[in-house]
Amino acid sequence: KNQVEQSPQSLIILEGKNCTLQCNYTVSPFSNLRWYKQDTGRGPVSLTIMTFSENTKSNGRYTATLDADTKQSSLHITASQLSDSASYICVVSPLKGGGNKLTFGTGTQLKVEL
Amino acid sequence: ETGVTQTPRHLVMGMTNKKSLKCEQHLGHNAMYWYKQSAKKPLELMFVYNFKEQTENNSVPSRFSPECPNSSHLFLHLHTLQPEDSALYLCASSHPGTGNEQYFGPGTRLTVT
């Protein structure tokens, strides 16, 4: 069964600090891996996308890494801001199957405090 | 806000009520999805429509009834719901096919009393 596990479940950091969120998956073969940000009361919004051949992808202060051999991905947030407080969801698309075969993680709830 | 809108944003209904959730996308996509998001659980896919045809029903109880009159609109009709159906219901759209990004609406927060 395809699974995506994320850690930690929740995290509290001070504004300006860096943090790293983890994602382990069993989906194989896969087409791509995305990190979504979901603000409270909003739908998820895509931050980064990586195919199996990519190792890293940046979007401003967000940097995602991928190790396809160990089936692990991480999302690193640099110089955190209060607006980074949200849930971060790792989503893996299989190589076949279309949009109905996405596997979602449960998310990491990040809170950035003053 | 993305190009996917959902109404209402909040809904409280009794177990004997009938209500409908509406989703509209302005992105020119041909695939639309309904998801259920409960606390501490991954998003659960409920229904998929490709080019207005339902292509996936993920063992969803019949008290949830989807309708897709065209590629831009998607409805979820609700009747005789249970308290455990309380959740955030998200609509998404994408181009059909594997790996295409799904764009999500803001969701409808549903509470069943």
Side-chain angles (χ1 to χ4, degrees), chain B:
Chain B
E1 288 289 349
T2 66
V4 181
T5 59
Q6 289 186 244
T7 56
R9 295 293 306 274
H10 300 272
L11 178 62
V12 179
M13 59 185 290
M15 293 167 60
T16 58
N17 291 157
K18 290 184 179 181
K19 297 287 184 183
S20 296
L21 310 185
K22 179 182 177 181
C23 174
E24 184 173 359
Q25 59 97 0
H26 309 276
L27 301 170
H29 293 155
N30 285 304
M32 296 188 77
Y33 313 82
W34 279 117
Y35 287 92
K36 177 183 179 182
Q37 187 175 34
S38 304
K40 301 188 187 303
K41 288 186 178 181
L43 269 72
E44 300 172 50
L45 179 67
M46 300 175 72
F47 301 104
V48 180
Y49 279 82
N50 283 294
F51 297 94
K52 302 187 300 179
E53 298 297 321
Q54 184 175 314
T55 57
E56 183 90 8
N57 177 336
N58 213 20
S59 302
V60 180
S62 59
R63 56 185 184 271
F64 295 91
S65 175
E67 178 189 0
C68 188
N70 54 62
S71 292
S72 300
H73 294 85
L74 186 63
F75 295 89
L76 188 62
H77 304 298
L78 316 171
H79 65 96
T80 59
L81 294 191
Q82 304 297 312
E84 59 265 29
D85 296 323
S86 298
L88 181 68
Y89 288 85
L90 292 164
C91 173
S93 71
S94 74
H95 292 298
T98 300
N100 291 314
E101 180 178 354
Q102 293 187 16
Y103 292 79
F104 287 85
T108 295
R109 173 64 64 185
L110 174 66
T111 303
V112 182
T113 60

